[in-house]
């Protein structure tokens, strides 16, 4: 249990977070706050404050110094403040996690030259994952361009705008102070409206420091930036309504774009009797014990999901997914066929399914609400299926590839068994983040925490399940990086999630290779007193590479990692840790205390590295599946 002192501390921080999260208003008016300061950098911070952004992640340096000055001024009065990462890629991963958890734009900043180039991996990851992100990098003063200034990064230097071109939705050098406001507005609009992604501004230090005209923000601009339009294609909704009314065995696929819509989709599933599967990054939106759930389709997925799709349902409705390799089972014909209806607010996603028999463009929440209304108006609102409570554990276990290993109490602990322990020992509101490598495969397949909407009082089990399906916002209990999948992403993302939401414990499941690459960011969690549990799957190997080579019959090369004691590494940073060798070791820990401490904890889990992760989709795409 947390000590009373700690509770006070958490509450104060939490209060500060809530205060900061509410967009500021001028007293007695609806007008946004003006920049408090006189420099261009203050204007940037004022925009962020009006969007409710609390943290800016980055690493300082000379060319970006005025923005840090503005953040110092802002932090002192309770506005947006700086969180300093140890590496700029970590800062971008943090901004990514923060955006996923809060639904706001994630912001990361870096100095020119190496600061900007270090950011790129995290920005590219956010681009591939459709994460709204504002990226600001510095430049030396504009008069010095072409003269060989330190870390010059304009077109006469290493040209960072050119480097960011292919991993941003908007990308521009601000070459004059008068451009700043319009370019900032453009960047924020492009980052936050579908298709979402990073927008990059490269700003010379003298322009950041320079005076700006009109420091009061236009009211309409900030309300436009905060709005999520409820636009839908009414004609297509009518067509889908007819398809749903006629379908005998509809199946739904829930993708990563379904955050705010998941409750409405489940209601629709219930009204139509649809069974549903999720993509790997959609799993976190649903209760894995839901009676109509048949598992994950795609990377790390379940045979039950393949079987359901293979059973030739008469209608397949996919919500909010881009059908990349991981979410389409390597572009499987089981999903990409003429029975498909694709619902999405993102045209780029819709363009990935030319074979679909219907595309429904629009905000997924609004589409589903309209369909529910239409089905009710039909008088067709009686519930077609009668799911009650959770599926029995035996049914849920039967979806797993190797259920016996999920329950095995052997030493060394099996990764399957580790996922069971984490599912049982962490409270239902825990945010799990699984890293690139085997971590993602194990977590996507085997994690199944208790439903956060399950009633505490067992007598409430008699209530219709529909009444308990209360979901809010983009809340997801499991996050993974798709498509780009850089090692160490989860380490920064976990910190960003924890900064964005101090009420929920965060568990980062990562590999020893990823930790050796990016583990230094744990010191940021310590400095910020964030309750993040780092679970390092210590197999002494780049495990996914090792198993991939074995499955493919390739040369066994380059996968070994040194034996490292990650607890001692954490201890050197003042962070407590535990070495875990067996399931018993795990169950002996006081998880409640660990997950509520004001700071990170390290679990160095010496797993059985011989266990083969569920990674068949990857092998199929590489052309090496057996
Ligand atoms: C930055 C980066 N470099 C290389 C890869 C290719 N890769 C994918 S998984 C993996 C091994 C990860 O090892 P570890 O973090 O120890 O996780 P494990 O698979 O052993 O659980 C590698 C090298 C990658 N995804 N990202
Ligand atoms: Mg490893």
């Amino acid at each position: 249990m947390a000590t009373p002192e700690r509770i006070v501390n958490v509450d104060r921080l939490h209060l500060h977070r809530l205060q900061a999260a509410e967009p500021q208003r001028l007293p007695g008016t609806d007008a946004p706050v003006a920049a408090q300061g006189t420099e261009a950098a203050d204007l940037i911070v004022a925009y962020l404050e009006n969007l409710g952004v609390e943290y800016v992640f980055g690493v300082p340096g000379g060319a970006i110094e005025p923005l840090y000055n503005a953040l110092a001024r802002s932090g002192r009065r309770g506005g947006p403040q700086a969180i300093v990462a140890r590496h700029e890629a970590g800062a971008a991963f943090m901004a990514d996690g923060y955006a996923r958890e809060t639904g706001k734009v994630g912001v990361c900043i870096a100095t020119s030259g190496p600061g900007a180039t270090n950011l790129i991996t995290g920005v590219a990851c956010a681009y591939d994952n459709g994460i709204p992100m504002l990226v600001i990098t510095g430049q030396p003063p504009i008069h010095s361009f072409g003269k060989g200034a330190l870390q010059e990064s304009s077109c006469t230097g290493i040209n960072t705008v050119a480097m960011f071109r292919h991993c941003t939705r908007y990308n521009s050098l601000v070459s004059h102070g008068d451009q700043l406001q319009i370019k900032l507005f453009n960047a924020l609009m492009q980052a936050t409206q579908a298709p979402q992604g990073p927008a990059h501004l490269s700003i010379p230090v003298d322009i950041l420091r320079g005076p700006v005209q009109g420091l009061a923000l236009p009211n309409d601009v900030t309300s436009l930036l905060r709005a999520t339009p409820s636009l839908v294609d009414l004609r297509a909704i009518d067509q889908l309504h007819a398809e749903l009314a006629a379908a005998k065995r509809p199946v739904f696929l829930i993708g990563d774009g379904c955050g705010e819509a998941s409750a409405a989709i489940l209601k629709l599933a219930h009204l139509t009797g649809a069974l549903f599967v999720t993509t790997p990054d959609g799993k976190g939106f649903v209760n894995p014990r839901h009676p109509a759930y048949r598992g994950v389709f795609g990377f790390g997925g379940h045979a039950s999901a393949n079987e359901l799709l293979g059973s030739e349902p008469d209608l397949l409705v996919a919500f909010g997914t881009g059908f990349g390799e991981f979410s389409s089972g390597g572009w499987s014909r089981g999903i990409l066929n003429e029975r498909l209806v694709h619902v999405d607010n993102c045209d780029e996603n819709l363009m990935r399914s030319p074979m679909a028999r219907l595309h429904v463009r629009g905000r997924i929440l609004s589409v589903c609400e309209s369909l529910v209304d239409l089905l009710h108006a039909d008088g067709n609102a009686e519930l077609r299926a009668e799911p009650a409570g959770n599926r029995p554990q035996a049914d849920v276990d039967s979806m797993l590839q190797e259920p016996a290993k999920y329950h095995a109490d052997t030493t060394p602990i099996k990764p399957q068994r580790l996922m069971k322990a984490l599912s049982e020992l962490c409270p239902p509101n825990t945010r799990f983040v699984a890293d690139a490598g085997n971590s993602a495969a194990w977590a996507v397949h085997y994690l199944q925490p208790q439903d956060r909407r399950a009633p505490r009082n067992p007598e409430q089990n008699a209530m219709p399940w529909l009444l308990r399906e209360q979901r809010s916002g983009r809340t997801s209990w499991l996050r993974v990086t798709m498509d780009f999948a850089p090692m160490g992403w989860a380490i920064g993302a976990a910190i960003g999630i924890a900064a964005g939401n101090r009420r929920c414990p965060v568990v980062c499941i990562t590999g020893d290779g990823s930790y050796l690459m990016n583990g230094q960011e744990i010191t940021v969690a310590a400095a910020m007193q964030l309750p993040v549990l780092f679970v390092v799957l210590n197999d002494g190997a780049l495990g996914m590479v090792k198993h991939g080579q074995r499955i493919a019959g390739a040369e066994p090369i380059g996968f070994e990692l040194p034996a490292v004691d990650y607890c001692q590494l954490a201890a050197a940073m003042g962070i407590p840790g535990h070495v875990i060798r067996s399931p018993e070791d795990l169950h002996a820990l006081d998880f409640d205390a660990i997950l509520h401490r004001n700071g990170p904890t390290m679990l160095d889990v010496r797993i059985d590295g011989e266990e083969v992760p569920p990674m068949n989709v990857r092998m199929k795409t590489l052309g090496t599946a057996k």
Side-chain angles (χ1 to χ4, degrees):
M1 285 295 291
T3 63
E5 251 175 44
R6 281 175 179 158
I7 291 168
V8 169
N9 198 8
V10 169
D11 280 349
R12 206 180 54 237
L13 288 165
H14 179 217
L15 188 66
H16 165 76
R17 197 191 72 82
L18 288 178
Q19 286 166 343
E22 268 306 301
Q24 303 291 305
R25 293 275 175 274
L26 290 178
T29 77
D30 214 18
V33 281
Q36 301 191 2
T38 55
E39 299 182 0
D42 295 299
L43 182 76
I44 297 172
V45 174
Y47 263 84
L48 299 180
E49 186 163 4
N50 278 282
L51 294 174
V53 172
E54 305 135 280
Y55 298 113
V56 170
F57 304 91
V59 177
I64 196 77
E65 191 177 87
L67 192 46
Y68 273 93
N69 290 339
L71 286 166
R73 290 189 280 275
S74 146
R76 275 197 294 275
R77 60 177 172 72
Q81 51 184 288
I83 291 184
V84 176
R86 307 298 168 238
H87 185 288
E88 287 84 353
F93 297 152
M94 289 174 204
D96 175 332
Y98 179 83
R100 290 182 197 239
E101 180 63 31
T102 62
K104 300 172 191 171
V105 65
V107 185
C108 55
I109 63 176
T111 195
S112 56
T117 55
N118 270 357
L119 264 186
I120 285 180
T121 299
V123 175
C125 181
Y127 181 77
D128 263 0
N129 284 253
I131 305 297
M133 185 179 279
L134 177 67
V135 184
I136 298 179
T137 63
Q139 287 277 5
I142 201 146
H143 65 77
S144 71
F145 284 11
K147 298 181 189 165
L150 176 79
Q151 299 172 346
E152 197 209 312
S153 306
S154 74
C155 61
T156 48
I158 56 129
N159 202 342
T160 45
V161 170
M163 287 189 198
F164 278 98
R165 179 165 304 143
H166 300 290
C167 58
T168 49
R169 302 241 159 238
Y170 182 84
N171 180 34
S172 186
L173 174 77
V174 180
S175 59
H176 194 282
D178 286 348
Q179 298 168 4
L180 179 65
Q181 188 153 3
I182 190 94
K183 288 192 171 176
L184 180 61
F185 180 49
N186 272 262
L188 287 167
M189 277 294 278
Q190 299 266 9
T192 54
Q193 308 299 315
Q196 296 182 327
H200 171 230
L201 292 179
S202 169
I203 315 180
V205 65
D206 50 332
I207 290 179
L208 276 175
R209 202 186 290 124
V212 278
Q213 299 298 315
L215 283 172
L217 306 190
N219 195 13
D220 199 43
V221 163
T222 43
S223 36
L224 185 59
L225 283 169
R226 282 198 297 268
T228 310
S230 294
L231 305 175
V232 291
D233 178 347
L234 292 173
R235 182 199 52 83
I237 288 179
D238 281 342
Q239 273 178 265
L240 179 52
H241 168 223
E243 297 260 8
L244 281 170
K248 301 237 167 349
R249 295 190 309 116
V251 168
F252 290 179
L253 173 75
I254 297 177
D256 67 307
C258 293
E260 65 165 10
S262 55
I265 295 172
L266 292 182
K267 197 182 268 183
L268 199 60
H270 197 41
L271 286 177
T272 56
L275 298 174
F276 65 92
V277 298
T278 65
T279 61
D281 50 355
K283 183 179 180 183
F285 297 133
V286 305
N287 166 16
R289 292 182 178 75
H290 192 291
Y293 184 47
R294 293 297 176 269
V296 172
F297 182 74
F299 179 78
H302 302 101
S304 51
N306 284 337
E307 281 158 19
L308 178 63
L309 294 174
S311 69
E312 308 218 332
D314 49 356
L315 178 64
L316 196 57
V317 189
F319 297 94
T321 177
F323 292 119
E325 173 185 330
F326 277 17
S327 53
S328 66
W331 309 283
S332 160
R333 280 278 306 156
I335 187 119
L336 293 172
N337 59 50
E338 59 293 340
R339 289 188 298 278
L340 178 66
V341 172
H342 191 176
V343 183
D344 218 302
N345 68 335
C346 173
D347 281 356
E348 285 189 9
N349 284 352
L350 293 173
M351 286 189 268
R352 295 264 182 81
S353 58
M355 73 298 295
R357 75 162 173 248
L358 176 64
H359 291 97
V360 183
R361 182 193 269 136
R363 184 176 180 178
I364 300 170
L365 173 65
S366 309
V367 170
C368 292
E369 286 175 345
S370 303
L371 288 166
V372 167
D373 288 348
L374 288 168
L375 288 169
H376 276 287
D378 284 348
N380 189 12
E382 80 280 9
L383 305 179
R384 284 215 229 159
E386 289 296 335
N390 286 330
R391 277 183 104 185
Q393 188 63 41
D395 282 6
V396 180
D397 286 358
S398 72
M399 295 202 305
L400 303 177
Q401 190 167 294
E402 296 182 291
K405 291 179 176 171
Y406 184 70
H407 293 285
D409 280 334
T410 45
T411 303
I413 185 169
K414 295 197 181 295
Q416 298 93 326
R417 180 67 178 82
L418 172 63
M419 296 304 129
K420 176 173 185 266
L422 292 174
S423 304
E424 288 170 358
L425 295 169
C426 298
N429 65 342
T430 303
R431 306 313 197 221
F432 292 95
V433 199
D435 221 333
N438 293 345
S439 299
W442 295 126
V444 164
H445 194 92
Y446 285 97
L447 265 189
Q448 36 176 303
Q450 294 299 324
D451 183 21
R452 56 184 179 270
R453 290 160 300 276
R456 279 166 196 247
N457 174 359
E459 283 176 18
Q460 282 180 275
N461 264 327
M463 288 167 66
W465 69 277
L466 202 56
L467 294 182
R468 288 186 270 112
E469 290 291 352
Q470 299 300 326
R471 284 171 170 75
S472 64
R474 300 160 44 95
T475 312
S476 173
W477 59 261
L478 173 62
R479 295 191 172 95
V480 289
T481 158
M482 308 280 283
D483 301 342
F484 199 74
M487 290 164 67
W489 163 84
I491 297 167
I495 293 168
I497 291 169
N501 178 3
R502 288 177 186 264
R503 283 163 297 185
C504 298
V506 181
V507 174
C508 171
I509 304 171
T510 185
D512 48 351
S514 300
Y515 198 80
L516 287 174
M517 207 179 258
N518 282 291
Q520 73 287 351
E521 303 299 347
I522 196 174
T523 57
V524 178
M528 292 291 297
Q529 302 189 333
L530 296 172
V532 184
L533 176 62
F534 289 90
V535 180
V536 176
L537 274 60
N538 189 349
D539 61 351
L542 301 170
M544 180 156 279
V545 172
K546 177 179 83 177
H547 287 290
Q549 289 169 346
R550 285 183 184 174
I551 296 169
E555 295 282 354
I557 178 176
F559 62 79
E560 294 100 340
L561 290 176
V564 175
D565 185 325
Y566 293 93
C567 283
Q568 283 190 28
L569 209 55
M573 298 166 172
I575 295 161
H578 308 270
V579 172
I580 305 294
R581 294 190 168 81
S582 66
E584 213 179 6
D585 290 346
L586 260 182
H587 286 274
L589 295 176
D590 181 349
F591 258 69
D592 194 40
I594 288 175
L595 294 175
H596 289 96
R597 92 173 271 278
N598 285 336
T601 303
M602 164 63 66
L603 293 191
D604 174 349
V605 189
R606 311 285 166 87
I607 58 156
D608 181 347
E610 291 307 301
E611 288 302 326
V612 184
M615 57 186 281
N616 260 343
V617 167
R618 187 85 195 103
M619 305 314 293
K620 174 183 156 190
T621 307
L622 291 173
T624 48
K626 289 266 161 88

